[in-house]
Amino acid sequence: MNEQSGSQFFHGACPHDCPDTCAMVYEAKDGALVGVAGNKEHPFTRGGLCVKLKDFHAHHYNPERLLYPLRRSGPKGSGEFERIGWDEAIATIGARWRNIIAEFGSQAIMPYSYLGNMGLVQGINSGDPFFNRLGSTVNEKTFCASGSSTAWLLSVGPTGGVDPESFVHAKYIVIWAANSISTNLHHWPFVLEARRRGAKIVVIDSCRSRTAKAADWHIAPKPGSDGALALGFINAIIEQGLVDEDYVGKHAYGFEELKQRAADFTPDYVEGLTGVKAADIKRFATEFATIQPSVIRIGVALERSAGGAQAIRAVCALPALVGSWRHVGGGLLQMPLWEFPIDWVKASRPDWIRPGTRVVNNLKLGAALTGGMPLDPPIKSLFVYCTNPVSQAPETNRIVEGLKREDLFTVVSEHFLTDTAKYADIVLPATMAGEHEDMMWSWGHFYLTYNQKAIEPRGECKPSSEMWRLLAREMGFDDEIFSKTDEELCAAYINWDAPQLGGADFAHLKERGFLRINVGTPDERAPHAHGNFPTPSGKVEFLLHEAKNFVAPPFRMMYEAEQSGEPIDPLPGYAAPRETPQTNPVRAQLFPLNIISPKSHGFLNSCYANEPHKIKGQGEQFVIINPGDAQNRDIRDGDPVRVFNDRGDFQGVARVSEDSPLGVVVATLGYWRSLNRSDGSVNCISSDAWSGLGRAPTFSDNLVEVRRAN
Ligand SMILES: Nc1nc2c(c(=O)[nH]1)N[C@H]1C(S)=C(S)[C@@H](COP(=O)(O)OP(=O)(O)OC[C@H]3O[C@@H](n4cnc5c(=O)[nH]c(N)nc54)[C@H](O)[C@@H]3O)O[C@H]1N2
Ligand SMILES: Nc1nc2c(c(=O)[nH]1)N[C@H]1C(S)=C(S)[C@@H](COP(=O)(O)OP(=O)(O)OC[C@H]3O[C@@H](n4cnc5c(=O)[nH]c(N)nc54)[C@H](O)[C@@H]3O)O[C@H]1N2
Ligand code: SF4
Ligand SMILES: [Mo]
């Protein structure tokens, strides 16, 4: 904290589920948060904040913010609540839970959380110790990156891969199913710096995103066809004699088997599956192999179809085949998180889970609440924190149906009365980042970031940590973790003795606000120049032995990989999407268009999507449709349209544009259904089916029809 002109300055860390995890500086004056800026000293985020967070201080004072605990006073979903005190709220929850436990057992209670706050102390897994101690159902969290993480761990092991800062050294940069300019903004300058030094930028995206428009080459495969495309690249690399045989011989396992698998995926055959021209497949193979260092940034959207993670396994083979890993800036970037010295066991207490406790996945919430899966006992209480499933989870209409159940006791901890919180019986007001202490890891760079409390909480908001302490006391838990201060928790969840910290301590982090973990500098890091893959064979594994499906940490429960799944394909491969005109012509007669629902530029998932100035910047819910598809349906630019399938519908405004290829519509994510034209948003049409590996979502694997709305 520094003082200057009556202001005090504090270290901040953006709490959101964003790979950038910006280091911020809070400015407080007379006890109020009056400003926020990026921390200029941070080598990755370099002082800039995105459009979503640039007025983050004002977000704390949003007039709609929840400031007091509430109890429902009208029908579920009506939004009618009365103010109560914390004591009463906690006592009410305790009384209801004791009754539920007596009648149904503790597994009738289910927590439900996600990365609305990524902090170790206040975020996604902050409630794990409490709920594991309680004996509740375990909530498996696979909204994002579980497919790519599973593929990554199977192929290359828990390595951080290429440092995103090392991209400046690359000469051929492939951004595959990521819209970096919107979703990974602070990585983009490193990509542009590489271009200044002569690099070519290739974006592989099913629509013409902002990032695709800024690239040197946009390759547009049909949604969910990426596995075929990657196998086509492998085929073309092998057939054109571009394999780095020395590297493959020494550091890859299963080349002959992969070669056989890829043999069928000739460029002509792949053109038919993906829509990408055979000549382009060959050209990409040549450029990727010969313009070194070549590097691939794997976007999360790559996993969002039936064959998502299988496709990522194929992508993971590419840099090894051509020896990209030999070079600084060459190879692959999924997420650096794997090298962070975090003590997930302390942070989540998996050892407290009673043997045989059931697991319910985030994506199946609708089914779980409405009898769509066998659950004995049924879920009688749901505790939602750091997530907004009515906007973000698939099969939303079923979730709403479940949340309306009179016998379900729902508690939601929130900043706002979201589309989910509206259905709560008890609402608990949570602090925002300027009001509490926290420790952030990152899935987009190699820095730990520390967030100081800059001001007292507004109203009666409390940090998650304090909420768990109060609930623990109510339920009679006196374990040590429930009496630690936030500062003690921040310190306890990091392995300070780990070599990645190079002797740095918490005091050092608190002083500077961020800390680079010790993984080699961006100008010298080439982690797999000589192999050293942290896999069972020590090599890149194209071929696996007896591998079982599993859900990768950290997103399952932040600590443990479940290995008990079904056997999987030992090789990377192409698993076709479930819902396309080619793979499901019967369904496509009713619903002929593929929809993709990427992130909105102006919202962070559903955060900020209730703020009028943010909605103004982002525009109301729109549906991008190709002129050919629009014409067939008599839809003109600006027309209100209804998008639907048998799972539900939502309305938006048509944007007729070539940015969507023929047969594909794009509607970005995050809009609140209560603020949309109709009571619906894009996840009303999304399937809750898992991708084949890692139980990832299939948001890019859905057929819909679009009609003009009146
Ligand atoms: N502005 C903003 N930034 C964010 C977020 C946000 O909501 N808003 N959310 C954060 C979170 S939680 C995450 S996970 C990341 C995600 O960030 P990204 O990985 O960038 O994910 P998306 O924006 O969903 O999709 C990226 C691109 O993939 C394309 N795409 C979709 N399906 C397919 C497909 O099957 N194949 C191919 N090749 N392309 C496809 C989309 O058209 C889109 O342009 O962003 C984070 N950053
Ligand atoms: N169709 C479609 N659906 C998708 C995706 C997609 O691309 N397409 N992307 C998926 C992905 S990648 C993700 S990560 C998920 C994200 O889904 P969510 O994690 O549900 O995303 P958010 O909208 O950020 O929800 C966070 C909520 O937590 C609240 N919150 C923030 N901080 C705190 C806190 O400290 N305490 C408490 N109690 N609450 C807090 C916010 O107010 C907000 O309402 O969505 C998934 N859904
Ligand atoms: S949302 Fe991402 S880019 Fe924006 S401030 Fe937070 S970490 Fe930085
Ligand atoms: Mo995500």
Side-chain angles (χ1 to χ4, degrees):
M1 189 231 294
N2 302 303
E3 287 194 40
Q4 190 185 312
S5 64
S7 285
Q8 293 178 307
F9 296 88
F10 299 84
H11 293 304
C14 178
H16 285 294
D17 182 6
C18 171
D20 295 18
T21 311
C22 288
M24 310 192 291
V25 181
Y26 297 126
E27 181 179 357
K29 201 170 190 173
D30 303 325
L33 204 57
V34 296
V36 66
N39 183 341
K40 292 195 177 67
E41 288 166 28
H42 193 283
F44 186 76
T45 62
R46 297 173 171 182
L49 299 178
C50 65
V51 289
K52 300 152 312 231
L53 271 281
K54 63 178 190 199
D55 56 352
F56 186 49
H57 60 289
H59 189 60
H60 289 62
Y61 299 97
N62 182 308
E64 308 266 288
R65 195 173 157 194
L66 292 167
L67 298 177
Y68 306 100
L70 302 174
R71 178 172 49 213
R72 180 167 64 85
S73 58
K76 293 214 179 199
S78 65
E80 291 164 33
F81 291 93
E82 62 193 9
R83 180 177 162 182
I84 55 173
W86 271 93
D87 289 348
E88 192 180 348
I90 297 290
T92 305
I93 297 167
R96 279 298 289 265
W97 281 358
R98 278 185 290 271
N99 284 340
I100 288 171
I101 293 169
E103 194 175 346
F104 299 95
S106 55
Q107 291 193 60
I109 300 167
M110 173 169 153
Y112 190 92
S113 70
Y114 207 66
L115 290 164
N117 180 328
M118 292 208 328
L120 281 172
V121 176
Q122 311 298 354
I124 172 169
N125 64 320
S126 64
D128 284 4
F130 173 79
F131 286 106
N132 291 342
R133 181 73 171 73
L134 186 69
S136 72
T137 288
V138 168
N139 173 218
E140 180 175 73
K141 307 165 175 87
T142 65
F143 266 136
C144 154
S146 67
S148 64
S149 298
T150 301
W152 181 259
L153 296 185
L154 288 172
S155 308
V156 295
T159 165
V162 177
D163 187 333
E165 294 174 61
S166 302
F167 272 56
V168 295
H169 298 293
K171 290 286 177 272
Y172 198 76
I173 296 178
V174 183
I175 299 178
W176 199 327
N179 183 12
S180 307
I181 293 176
S182 293
T183 62
N184 192 186
L185 180 66
H186 294 84
H187 190 226
W188 189 243
F190 293 87
V191 174
L192 291 181
E193 173 61 20
R195 183 193 256 166
R196 266 190 293 278
R197 300 183 192 181
K200 177 166 178 173
I201 305 170
V202 184
V203 168
I204 306 182
D205 195 303
S206 300
C207 77
R208 205 157 62 190
S209 65
R210 280 178 196 247
T211 313
K213 284 176 191 163
D216 300 305
W217 186 15
H218 173 208
I219 299 175
K222 291 178 185 163
S225 71
D226 302 84
L229 186 63
L231 285 160
F233 292 156
I234 292 172
N235 176 294
I237 286 169
I238 295 172
E239 289 302 315
Q240 296 179 113
L242 298 166
V243 173
D244 181 336
E245 284 172 9
D246 178 58
Y247 191 89
V248 168
K250 287 185 185 141
H251 307 306
Y253 181 75
F255 174 69
E256 283 307 321
E257 290 84 351
L258 180 68
K259 184 177 168 184
Q260 271 180 30
R261 169 62 59 91
D264 293 339
F265 289 83
T266 61
D268 287 324
Y269 175 59
V270 170
E271 176 174 335
L273 296 172
T274 62
V276 178
K277 294 265 174 285
D280 285 342
I281 293 168
K282 289 187 211 160
R283 180 176 141 209
F284 178 92
T286 305
E287 292 182 357
F288 183 74
T290 57
I291 306 177
Q292 292 291 347
S294 63
V295 66
I296 302 174
R297 181 356 149 199
I298 299 174
V300 178
L302 199 39
E303 71 180 21
R304 296 199 184 111
S305 53
Q310 270 297 74
I312 297 168
R313 284 177 68 199
V315 173
C316 286
L318 288 167
L321 281 176
V322 301
S324 310
W325 288 111
R326 290 180 185 278
H327 315 281
V328 176
L332 280 172
L333 170 61
Q334 187 239 357
M335 52 178 184
L337 167 62
W338 306 109
E339 305 209 26
F340 276 73
I342 294 169
D343 193 335
W344 295 113
V345 173
K346 256 193 206 151
S348 280
R349 297 312 304 248
D351 48 320
W352 286 353
I353 298 175
R354 297 172 201 162
T357 300
R358 72 182 177 199
V359 173
V360 172
N361 184 285
N362 282 47
L363 301 166
K364 303 289 183 184
L365 181 63
L369 294 181
T370 57
M373 60 169 76
L375 288 178
D376 182 21
I379 293 162
K380 298 299 251 179
S381 179
L382 186 71
F383 193 110
V384 181
Y385 64 100
C386 299
T387 183
N388 181 11
V390 173
S391 164
Q392 302 296 107
E395 295 254 19
T396 318
N397 290 348
R398 279 186 94 177
I399 296 175
V400 168
E401 191 190 320
L403 291 174
K404 283 183 178 160
R405 264 174 45 198
E406 279 305 326
D407 66 323
L408 181 73
F409 176 63
T410 304
V411 183
V412 178
S413 160
E414 252 301 346
H415 295 150
F416 295 99
L417 205 56
T418 60
D419 289 346
T420 305
K422 262 194 179 159
Y423 290 92
D425 296 288
I426 299 283
V427 179
L428 300 173
T431 43
M432 287 186 180
E435 302 163 336
H436 60 221
E437 190 169 358
D438 212 346
M439 174 80 81
M440 310 297 299
W441 43 276
S442 169
W443 55 280
H445 57 61
F446 282 114
Y447 300 82
L448 274 173
T449 318
Y450 172 64
N451 182 77
Q452 277 178 305
K453 173 177 167 175
I455 55 166
E456 286 305 318
R458 289 198 58 213
E460 291 179 8
C461 293
K462 287 191 191 295
S464 298
S465 54
E466 181 62 14
M467 178 172 76
W468 308 126
R469 285 190 282 263
L470 293 173
L471 285 166
R473 194 178 314 148
E474 171 69 22
M475 301 311 284
F477 306 156
D478 55 6
D479 309 84
E480 195 196 345
I481 192 169
F482 301 122
S483 58
K484 281 196 191 310
T485 64
D486 293 357
E487 186 176 19
E488 288 165 345
L489 292 175
C490 283
Y493 293 163
I494 303 296
N495 289 319
W496 294 103
D497 296 335
Q500 297 98 312
L501 285 174
D505 60 9
F506 188 33
H508 176 82
L509 175 61
K510 279 184 8 186
E511 169 77 27
R512 289 201 58 207
F514 60 87
L515 183 64
R516 183 174 165 91
I517 64 169
N518 196 6
V519 289
T521 72
D523 293 332
E524 63 190 22
R525 179 179 161 87
H528 306 299
H530 307 289
N532 294 320
F533 291 93
T535 55
S537 64
K539 300 178 176 190
V540 178
E541 301 208 337
F542 302 152
L543 178 72
L544 305 169
H545 287 294
E546 295 173 12
K548 298 276 168 62
N549 194 358
F550 71 96
V551 176
F555 297 112
R556 179 170 190 254
M557 291 172 278
M558 289 294 187
Y559 42 78
E560 162 204 351
E562 188 199 40
Q563 298 279 3
S564 62
E566 62 278 14
I568 58 171
D569 189 338
L571 286 165
Y574 174 53
R578 297 192 184 98
E579 297 192 16
T580 69
Q582 294 73 34
T583 58
N584 197 339
V586 174
R587 188 169 173 78
Q589 278 182 353
L590 295 171
F591 313 117
L593 300 169
N594 271 111
I595 186 166
I596 50 179
S597 48
K599 309 299 187 183
S600 293
H601 183 78
F603 307 146
L604 197 296
N605 295 318
S606 68
C607 296
Y608 310 102
N610 61 329
E611 298 195 322
H613 65 294
K614 295 282 156 82
I615 299 173
K616 198 163 165 231
Q618 166 66 21
E620 78 163 295
Q621 177 90 62
F622 54 84
V623 180
I624 309 177
I625 183 165
N626 184 274
D629 292 321
Q631 202 178 11
N632 288 342
R633 293 165 176 78
D634 197 21
I635 291 168
R636 276 170 289 268
D637 196 60
D639 280 351
V641 290
R642 178 171 163 258
V643 181
F644 60 97
N645 60 19
D646 49 357
R647 295 182 280 264
D649 71 342
F650 69 98
Q651 290 190 17
V653 172
R655 279 194 195 167
V656 178
S657 158
E658 304 266 354
D659 289 350
S660 275
L662 210 57
V664 177
V665 291
V666 180
T668 64
L669 171 78
Y671 292 91
W672 291 26
R673 59 192 281 160
S674 52
L675 301 174
N676 269 353
R677 282 174 176 252
S678 65
D679 187 23
S681 62
V682 66
N683 277 325
C684 292
I685 58 80
S686 302
S687 159
D688 70 356
W690 285 315
S691 158
L693 263 181
R695 297 207 269 277
T698 49
F699 296 120
S700 292
D701 195 350
N702 295 280
L703 282 166
V704 294
E705 178 57 295
V706 182
R707 290 265 179 266
R708 201 137 52 88
N710 296 314

